[in-house]
Amino acid sequence: MRTFYVFLFFCLTLSTVNAQDKYFTKDGHISFFSHSIVEDITATNDQVLSVLDSKTGKIAIQLLMRSFMFEKALMREHFNENYVESDVYPKAKFSGSILHFKTLSELPTEVEIGGKLSIHGVEQEVSTLATIQTEADEIILRGNFEVKVADYNIKIPALVRNNISKTIRISFELYHKPYK
């Protein structure tokens, strides 16, 4: 938990932009979906931290891997112990920016997000299209993208290889409020 606050502190203080340009959420929503011929696996995480600079478009996202909730407890146990090794690699992180960031609108606007995604101790460049919009005092960012399990050195045992897709679809929905 202390690491969470240190991360938050640095995200909010290293920039020279005024505080009114910073938006924050600690209850964002990220889910993933794996489709295979044997079964579909879905997990959700509603404890996602994100900081967005509305002036520059820079964004940082962090979540605890153990916070993913599954339909079956055994899936959660296997996910944390065998695949992502949550004791060794407790967090996933993204650091990047909304490319060609201009102005915000109440209408959903398509934007491209690019940066570095770190999962299981491996950092990869990713980019995706997303939508951004304002609603009341919030900046809402929604999108999805796919990652290959092998790109993050996550090993799937041969016994269950057909149960888990080689490509996982990740969806996000972040409701940023002004940081005060």
Side-chain angles (χ1 to χ4, degrees):
M1 189 60 136
R2 191 179 86 175
T3 305
F4 165 80
Y5 290 113
V6 171
F7 171 77
L8 177 63
F9 174 78
F10 282 112
C11 285
L12 296 175
T13 59
L14 287 179
S15 176
T16 58
V17 180
N18 293 332
Q20 65 262 23
D21 297 329
K22 299 286 188 188
Y23 286 75
F24 170 78
T25 185
K26 62 181 177 183
D27 53 4
H29 176 78
I30 291 183
S31 63
F32 70 80
F33 177 72
S34 165
H35 172 73
S36 71
I37 57 173
V38 177
E39 68 182 329
D40 290 340
I41 300 170
T42 302
T44 60
N45 188 330
D46 295 324
Q47 298 176 20
V48 179
L49 167 70
S50 178
V51 178
L52 172 66
D53 185 324
S54 68
K55 200 76 146 180
T56 64
K58 291 193 182 292
I59 186 166
I61 302 168
Q62 180 172 286
L63 60 92
L64 291 174
M65 298 304 279
R66 286 202 174 276
S67 295
F68 276 103
M69 302 306 290
F70 292 79
E71 181 182 326
K72 300 174 186 170
L74 188 57
M75 286 179 176
R76 184 176 187 192
E77 182 180 327
H78 287 175
F79 173 78
N80 285 302
E81 292 177 11
N82 302 332
Y83 306 129
V84 296
E85 302 172 278
S86 296
D87 289 340
V88 179
Y89 309 105
K91 297 176 186 169
K93 301 174 189 174
F94 175 82
S95 178
S97 59
I98 300 170
L99 307 176
H100 314 294
F101 188 71
K102 293 185 175 111
T103 57
L104 294 167
S105 168
E106 289 182 7
L107 298 174
T109 305
E110 189 174 78
V111 293
E112 183 178 358
I113 300 173
K116 295 182 181 193
L117 177 63
S118 176
I119 302 172
H120 198 243
V122 177
E123 190 173 84
Q124 296 280 339
E125 287 285 332
V126 297
S127 68
T128 188
L129 295 177
T131 60
I132 191 167
Q133 73 184 87
T134 60
E135 191 174 287
D137 66 341
E138 294 181 318
I139 297 176
I140 304 165
L141 191 61
R142 293 183 181 105
N144 56 67
F145 60 100
E146 293 183 348
V147 296
K148 293 181 180 175
V149 175
D151 287 350
Y152 293 92
N153 292 337
I154 297 171
K155 308 288 187 240
I156 308 297
L159 183 62
V160 293
R161 190 158 289 143
N162 290 333
N163 295 33
I164 300 169
S165 176
K166 293 177 182 175
T167 303
I168 306 296
R169 181 170 204 69
I170 299 174
S171 300
F172 56 90
E173 195 167 280
L174 305 167
Y175 292 82
H176 296 91
K177 294 187 182 273
Y179 179 74
K180 298 175 185 175

